[in-house]
Amino acid sequence: MNRLHEKLQDVYEEVARRNPGEDEFHQSVYEVLQSLGPVVAKHPEYADSAVIRRLCEPERQIIFRVPWVDDNGTVQINRGFRVEFNSALGPFKGGLRFHPTVYLGIVKFLGFEQIFKNSLTGMPIGGGKGGADFDPKGRSDAEVMRFCQSFMTELYRHLGEYTDVPAGDTGVGMREIGYLFGQYKRITNRYESGVLTGKGTTWGGSQVRTEATGYGTVFFVNEILKSTDDTFEGKTAVVSGSGNVAIYAIEKIHELGGTVVACSDSSGYVYDPKGIDLEILKEIKEVRRGRIAEYAEMRAGAAQFVKDRNVWEVPCDIAIPCATQNEINGDEAAALIKNGCRIVAEGANMPCSPSAIKQFNEAGVIFAPGKAANAGGVATSALEMQQNASRDSWTFVDTELRLEQIMRRIHNRCLVTAEEYGQPGNYVAGANIAGFIRVADAMLALGLV
């Protein structure tokens, strides 16, 4: 790693020392600090007041046991987490992730990223994240319900519409949110709609919430294209993953005139040169909860399934990683560059490693970091909170329009900030600096809290 500004190097070393073994958290902190050198040089008060050191330390970290009984009557034990990172701008806001890889370092990295992502939306929400090392794959609805009820039985005491408002993330969709909200309502005897987002539209949820992260990422890419007098028309794209973010990124790219030719899951990827058939993909992933290999079978020879290979070997103009952290490393970045990729936009959280980002910058590939490009999900969660607070419900068209406007503002804020701090066109610097300044100013205004 390159050495940071002298006033930031000590901060990073302290983070690494105080949080041993949490590599993803170290990576996310370093990536932000790397952008803040020009800010500290211009505004030394941010370093002198220790606001940056405070920002790197969560306000609260909650770890708890989640006991539950599977369908065979066997007691299972998982570990639950909630990191309430920063509430300077509003109540803690961020998703819950249910996946076997979840541990404290993952949750802290996600929560740290969430601070800046939420700040960039311009909305009054702080940053947090949570989850458990529970894998919902292969579990019955009854098992998922029992797990969610046990999880919420412990977590509920830390939540509230003015305190901490979780949403979904990997492994936590509308089914899980329903079970969690039901248990919260049962324990508290309150129908507090604003305590969870990602709810069903018939019981307090927002239109476009399911589509929001995927749509928002594509809206951000569309703004990048417009800034270079270009459009999606005729562009080829590759999307990793095949969950909500990937599916609705594909849908919006097709609406805007582009063609997504490949998507993936953990078993491999499918290549469909005429464009991914969304009806088939939704049937497999949303209805049957199946594997991506089934897509090639249902396309009857029009598509190819490539087992245990990386989707980034497919040539494209635009790449949108929507799966998991650090899925694009140096080799994958080199392949994308070699095959003519011009834009990479993160639909997932930190899917590109530092070495990959370095290669994109050196090759002139436009890179949009997740805290800016995939902020549409949390922005629409905040819109859901607005509707819950006012006992209102907006149409799909109205909510999508608001989402598009928010993504346009984020894009423009990134460009203007990058220009102001001497790094024109650098979306990473623009996102990190703009997100940081709003939070840091709020922290200074609130005093030593």
PDB file of all heavy atoms in Angstrom, residues 39 61 106 147 151 153 168 210 286 299 400 416 427 433 447:
ATOM      1  N   VAL A  39      -8.108  16.858   1.519  1.00  0.00           N
ATOM      2  CA  VAL A  39      -9.081  17.464   2.437  1.00  0.00           C
ATOM      3  C   VAL A  39      -8.389  17.907   3.720  1.00  0.00           C
ATOM      4  O   VAL A  39      -8.606  19.020   4.217  1.00  0.00           O
ATOM      5  CB  VAL A  39     -10.212  16.458   2.768  1.00  0.00           C
ATOM      6  CG1 VAL A  39     -11.241  17.106   3.690  1.00  0.00           C
ATOM      7  CG2 VAL A  39     -10.884  15.962   1.504  1.00  0.00           C
ATOM      8  N   GLN A  61     -21.154  -1.800  18.910  1.00  0.00           N
ATOM      9  CA  GLN A  61     -21.012  -3.096  18.239  1.00  0.00           C
ATOM     10  C   GLN A  61     -21.744  -4.149  19.073  1.00  0.00           C
ATOM     11  O   GLN A  61     -21.412  -4.347  20.241  1.00  0.00           O
ATOM     12  CB  GLN A  61     -19.541  -3.474  18.096  1.00  0.00           C
ATOM     13  CG  GLN A  61     -18.718  -2.457  17.304  1.00  0.00           C
ATOM     14  CD  GLN A  61     -17.264  -2.845  17.211  1.00  0.00           C
ATOM     15  OE1 GLN A  61     -16.930  -3.885  16.653  1.00  0.00           O
ATOM     16  NE2 GLN A  61     -16.383  -2.021  17.760  1.00  0.00           N
ATOM     17  N   ILE A 106     -16.509  -8.307   8.337  1.00  0.00           N
ATOM     18  CA  ILE A 106     -17.376  -8.058   7.175  1.00  0.00           C
ATOM     19  C   ILE A 106     -18.426  -7.015   7.532  1.00  0.00           C
ATOM     20  O   ILE A 106     -18.689  -6.074   6.765  1.00  0.00           O
ATOM     21  CB  ILE A 106     -18.061  -9.368   6.723  1.00  0.00           C
ATOM     22  CG1 ILE A 106     -17.049 -10.326   6.082  1.00  0.00           C
ATOM     23  CG2 ILE A 106     -19.210  -9.074   5.762  1.00  0.00           C
ATOM     24  CD1 ILE A 106     -16.698 -10.017   4.653  1.00  0.00           C
ATOM     25  N   PHE A 147     -35.420 -19.047  12.592  1.00  0.00           N
ATOM     26  CA  PHE A 147     -34.164 -18.324  12.760  1.00  0.00           C
ATOM     27  C   PHE A 147     -34.421 -16.825  12.893  1.00  0.00           C
ATOM     28  O   PHE A 147     -33.880 -16.165  13.793  1.00  0.00           O
ATOM     29  CB  PHE A 147     -33.209 -18.574  11.596  1.00  0.00           C
ATOM     30  CG  PHE A 147     -31.975 -17.732  11.685  1.00  0.00           C
ATOM     31  CD1 PHE A 147     -30.922 -18.119  12.493  1.00  0.00           C
ATOM     32  CD2 PHE A 147     -31.901 -16.510  11.025  1.00  0.00           C
ATOM     33  CE1 PHE A 147     -29.800 -17.305  12.642  1.00  0.00           C
ATOM     34  CE2 PHE A 147     -30.785 -15.697  11.163  1.00  0.00           C
ATOM     35  CZ  PHE A 147     -29.742 -16.102  11.972  1.00  0.00           C
ATOM     36  N   PHE A 151     -33.456 -14.359  15.946  1.00  0.00           N
ATOM     37  CA  PHE A 151     -32.563 -13.229  15.674  1.00  0.00           C
ATOM     38  C   PHE A 151     -33.186 -11.925  16.169  1.00  0.00           C
ATOM     39  O   PHE A 151     -32.552 -11.130  16.868  1.00  0.00           O
ATOM     40  CB  PHE A 151     -32.290 -13.179  14.165  1.00  0.00           C
ATOM     41  CG  PHE A 151     -31.317 -12.118  13.725  1.00  0.00           C
ATOM     42  CD1 PHE A 151     -29.959 -12.371  13.696  1.00  0.00           C
ATOM     43  CD2 PHE A 151     -31.771 -10.875  13.300  1.00  0.00           C
ATOM     44  CE1 PHE A 151     -29.055 -11.396  13.265  1.00  0.00           C
ATOM     45  CE2 PHE A 151     -30.879  -9.901  12.871  1.00  0.00           C
ATOM     46  CZ  PHE A 151     -29.512 -10.172  12.858  1.00  0.00           C
ATOM     47  N   THR A 153     -35.577 -11.543  18.348  1.00  0.00           N
ATOM     48  CA  THR A 153     -35.832 -11.560  19.789  1.00  0.00           C
ATOM     49  C   THR A 153     -34.696 -10.900  20.554  1.00  0.00           C
ATOM     50  O   THR A 153     -34.912 -10.259  21.589  1.00  0.00           O
ATOM     51  CB  THR A 153     -36.038 -13.005  20.279  1.00  0.00           C
ATOM     52  OG1 THR A 153     -37.207 -13.542  19.629  1.00  0.00           O
ATOM     53  CG2 THR A 153     -36.218 -13.079  21.785  1.00  0.00           C
ATOM     54  N   GLY A 168     -32.794  -5.237   4.073  1.00  0.00           N
ATOM     55  CA  GLY A 168     -32.244  -6.494   3.581  1.00  0.00           C
ATOM     56  C   GLY A 168     -30.876  -6.307   2.948  1.00  0.00           C
ATOM     57  O   GLY A 168     -30.429  -5.201   2.684  1.00  0.00           O
ATOM     58  N   THR A 210     -37.435  -3.267  -4.378  1.00  0.00           N
ATOM     59  CA  THR A 210     -36.787  -4.475  -4.885  1.00  0.00           C
ATOM     60  C   THR A 210     -35.828  -4.145  -6.018  1.00  0.00           C
ATOM     61  O   THR A 210     -34.730  -4.695  -6.115  1.00  0.00           O
ATOM     62  CB  THR A 210     -37.837  -5.490  -5.365  1.00  0.00           C
ATOM     63  OG1 THR A 210     -38.717  -5.793  -4.276  1.00  0.00           O
ATOM     64  CG2 THR A 210     -37.188  -6.771  -5.861  1.00  0.00           C
ATOM     65  N   GLU A 286     -36.197 -16.022  -8.840  1.00  0.00           N
ATOM     66  CA  GLU A 286     -37.176 -15.432  -7.931  1.00  0.00           C
ATOM     67  C   GLU A 286     -38.288 -16.404  -7.547  1.00  0.00           C
ATOM     68  O   GLU A 286     -38.812 -16.327  -6.439  1.00  0.00           O
ATOM     69  CB  GLU A 286     -37.789 -14.171  -8.552  1.00  0.00           C
ATOM     70  CG  GLU A 286     -36.789 -13.052  -8.747  1.00  0.00           C
ATOM     71  CD  GLU A 286     -37.403 -11.770  -9.280  1.00  0.00           C
ATOM     72  OE1 GLU A 286     -38.506 -11.824  -9.879  1.00  0.00           O
ATOM     73  OE2 GLU A 286     -36.779 -10.709  -9.108  1.00  0.00           O
ATOM     74  N   ARG A 299     -33.030 -22.227 -22.232  1.00  0.00           N
ATOM     75  CA  ARG A 299     -32.840 -21.495 -23.491  1.00  0.00           C
ATOM     76  C   ARG A 299     -32.562 -22.429 -24.660  1.00  0.00           C
ATOM     77  O   ARG A 299     -32.373 -21.993 -25.801  1.00  0.00           O
ATOM     78  CB  ARG A 299     -31.690 -20.492 -23.347  1.00  0.00           C
ATOM     79  CG  ARG A 299     -32.058 -19.255 -22.545  1.00  0.00           C
ATOM     80  CD  ARG A 299     -32.903 -18.283 -23.340  1.00  0.00           C
ATOM     81  NE  ARG A 299     -32.085 -17.471 -24.249  1.00  0.00           N
ATOM     82  CZ  ARG A 299     -32.514 -16.936 -25.375  1.00  0.00           C
ATOM     83  NH1 ARG A 299     -33.753 -17.157 -25.775  1.00  0.00           N
ATOM     84  NH2 ARG A 299     -31.716 -16.208 -26.122  1.00  0.00           N
ATOM     85  N   GLU A 400     -39.705   5.811  -8.792  1.00  0.00           N
ATOM     86  CA  GLU A 400     -38.565   5.611  -9.696  1.00  0.00           C
ATOM     87  C   GLU A 400     -37.985   6.951 -10.138  1.00  0.00           C
ATOM     88  O   GLU A 400     -36.761   7.100 -10.252  1.00  0.00           O
ATOM     89  CB  GLU A 400     -38.982   4.786 -10.913  1.00  0.00           C
ATOM     90  CG  GLU A 400     -37.808   4.470 -11.828  1.00  0.00           C
ATOM     91  CD  GLU A 400     -38.192   3.667 -13.066  1.00  0.00           C
ATOM     92  OE1 GLU A 400     -39.393   3.416 -13.270  1.00  0.00           O
ATOM     93  OE2 GLU A 400     -37.278   3.292 -13.836  1.00  0.00           O
ATOM     94  N   VAL A 416     -18.273  17.201  -9.152  1.00  0.00           N
ATOM     95  CA  VAL A 416     -17.956  18.557  -8.685  1.00  0.00           C
ATOM     96  C   VAL A 416     -16.908  18.508  -7.573  1.00  0.00           C
ATOM     97  O   VAL A 416     -15.952  19.306  -7.557  1.00  0.00           O
ATOM     98  CB  VAL A 416     -19.240  19.265  -8.198  1.00  0.00           C
ATOM     99  CG1 VAL A 416     -18.897  20.553  -7.440  1.00  0.00           C
ATOM    100  CG2 VAL A 416     -20.160  19.574  -9.376  1.00  0.00           C
ATOM    101  N   TYR A 427     -14.119   9.428  -9.728  1.00  0.00           N
ATOM    102  CA  TYR A 427     -15.341   9.192  -8.965  1.00  0.00           C
ATOM    103  C   TYR A 427     -15.052   8.656  -7.563  1.00  0.00           C
ATOM    104  O   TYR A 427     -15.834   8.898  -6.635  1.00  0.00           O
ATOM    105  CB  TYR A 427     -16.246   8.210  -9.712  1.00  0.00           C
ATOM    106  CG  TYR A 427     -16.925   8.809 -10.917  1.00  0.00           C
ATOM    107  CD1 TYR A 427     -16.401   8.639 -12.200  1.00  0.00           C
ATOM    108  CD2 TYR A 427     -18.096   9.545 -10.789  1.00  0.00           C
ATOM    109  CE1 TYR A 427     -17.020   9.193 -13.311  1.00  0.00           C
ATOM    110  CE2 TYR A 427     -18.729  10.102 -11.891  1.00  0.00           C
ATOM    111  CZ  TYR A 427     -18.189   9.930 -13.151  1.00  0.00           C
ATOM    112  OH  TYR A 427     -18.804  10.485 -14.240  1.00  0.00           O
ATOM    113  N   ILE A 433     -14.716  11.970  -0.653  1.00  0.00           N
ATOM    114  CA  ILE A 433     -14.586  13.307  -0.067  1.00  0.00           C
ATOM    115  C   ILE A 433     -15.953  13.922   0.207  1.00  0.00           C
ATOM    116  O   ILE A 433     -16.206  14.452   1.300  1.00  0.00           O
ATOM    117  CB  ILE A 433     -13.735  14.216  -0.975  1.00  0.00           C
ATOM    118  CG1 ILE A 433     -12.295  13.704  -1.046  1.00  0.00           C
ATOM    119  CG2 ILE A 433     -13.764  15.662  -0.474  1.00  0.00           C
ATOM    120  CD1 ILE A 433     -11.432  14.397  -2.087  1.00  0.00           C
ATOM    121  N   GLY A 447     -20.575  18.299  18.581  1.00  0.00           N
ATOM    122  CA  GLY A 447     -19.665  18.264  19.712  1.00  0.00           C
ATOM    123  C   GLY A 447     -19.042  16.886  19.874  1.00  0.00           C
ATOM    124  O   GLY A 447     -19.119  16.034  18.986  1.00  0.00           O
TER     125      GLY A 447
END
